[in-house]
Amino acid sequence: NAIALLKFEKGSAEDLCQVHDYSGVMSSMYKTEVKQGVSAISKVFSEHYPEFKGKTIFVNFPAVFSKPFQVFAALLPERTRKKFVILGQEDHAALFEMVPPELVPEALGGLFSEPKSKIRSQGRVVLPRARESLDVTAIELPGPSKLLWELRVCTMEVSYEVFFVPANGTEEQVVAKSEPGKPLKAEDGIISGEWSAPSAGTLNFRFRNDAAWFKRRVCVCRADVAE
């Protein structure tokens, strides 16, 4: 079905990107029939692997399966092997470098949800280090506007604020924020809202990685003017 979407016209998309979710995969990769299947697939790939195929990204890939995958990859031609990307359970930042967060399903840490969001803008990736607070401007407004916004954290938890900074220099207005002692968690998924800006200014997101001592957090957010 994906191949059928390619137009094969100059200037249009020329390859495909696949994302495989390995959440919950068990030890079946070690079974004899699986190994035989891998060998058969590798033969097909080496002879017929389509050149319009882009990257194949494996996410939530268990570390215990890295060696079996290396065996599988060794059977493939080098040009095919370079098209495979292995990502662990907390490699969201690396995933977003290849696939923008608005195209990554919510179940994988992205902003794509069903029903589809009305926000059309691209997602912003924010990476607050341990004990750090980071602000990001989501959208600039020339005047009063009705806004849509959404955000999430991809792993663990983070505190957040959505706030409006008026262009006239008056005090910022808090649109939404996490409650004290109740940070936003990854399992909460996407949170969103609507708000009417009273004047020109900017809508901003603030992420506070207060609870971490060593690890950064991966957060994504975006906002748009409602149609």
Side-chain angles (χ1 to χ4, degrees):
N1 292 339
I3 294 174
L5 296 176
L6 294 177
K7 298 180 180 179
F8 299 100
E9 298 175 354
K10 186 176 181 179
S12 61
E14 297 179 352
D15 55 28
L16 303 172
C17 176
Q18 290 183 327
V19 179
H20 296 254
D21 182 13
Y22 268 66
S23 298
V25 173
M26 303 302 288
S27 58
S28 59
M29 290 181 67
Y30 293 98
K31 294 182 179 179
T32 300
E33 56 268 30
V34 174
K35 294 180 180 179
Q36 293 174 345
V38 168
S39 297
I41 291 172
S42 65
K43 184 176 186 299
V44 173
F45 276 13
S46 64
E47 297 176 357
H48 306 290
Y49 197 82
E51 282 307 301
F52 51 76
K53 178 73 179 297
K55 290 185 181 296
T56 297
I57 306 169
F58 299 89
V59 300
N60 296 318
F61 201 83
V64 70
F65 293 151
S66 60
K67 287 189 176 180
F69 181 83
Q70 291 172 7
V71 174
F72 164 72
L75 300 173
L76 301 175
E78 183 179 1
R79 69 178 184 183
T80 300
R81 189 164 59 248
K82 289 182 177 179
K83 295 183 178 182
F84 290 101
V85 179
I86 304 300
L87 299 178
Q89 296 179 334
E90 297 186 0
D91 292 335
H92 297 88
L95 174 61
F96 296 147
E97 289 179 1
M98 294 174 282
V99 184
E102 68 271 12
L103 298 182
V104 175
E106 182 177 6
L108 299 182
L111 292 174
F112 184 84
S113 61
E114 292 291 349
K116 191 175 181 179
S117 172
K118 295 180 180 179
I119 299 177
R120 300 158 298 174
S121 62
Q122 295 181 338
R124 300 284 300 274
V125 181
V126 187
L127 305 173
R129 296 188 297 270
R131 321 304 291 180
E132 183 180 35
S133 176
L134 283 182
D135 292 2
V136 57
T137 297
I139 189 171
E140 296 186 7
L141 305 169
S145 306
K146 183 177 181 180
L147 298 172
L148 305 174
W149 60 268
E150 59 186 15
L151 61 86
R152 72 167 302 163
V153 61
C154 301
T155 58
M156 303 297 286
E157 76 291 311
V158 75
S159 299
Y160 75 90
E161 288 182 17
V162 183
F163 62 97
F164 176 72
V165 178
N168 60 13
T170 56
E171 187 176 356
E172 67 181 44
Q173 303 175 41
V174 176
V175 176
K177 66 177 182 179
S178 53
E179 298 180 19
K182 295 183 179 180
L184 176 67
K185 298 181 179 181
E187 54 264 34
D188 295 332
I190 301 168
I191 64 168
S192 60
E194 298 182 5
W195 188 73
S196 295
S199 63
T202 60
L203 187 74
N204 307 268
F205 296 97
R206 177 175 294 138
F207 295 98
R208 290 193 176 96
N209 189 7
D210 298 329
W213 286 101
F214 303 104
K215 288 188 176 183
R216 71 179 184 181
R217 298 291 185 255
V218 180
C219 309
V220 289
C221 58
R222 60 177 177 166
D224 205 352
V225 176
E227 293 184 344

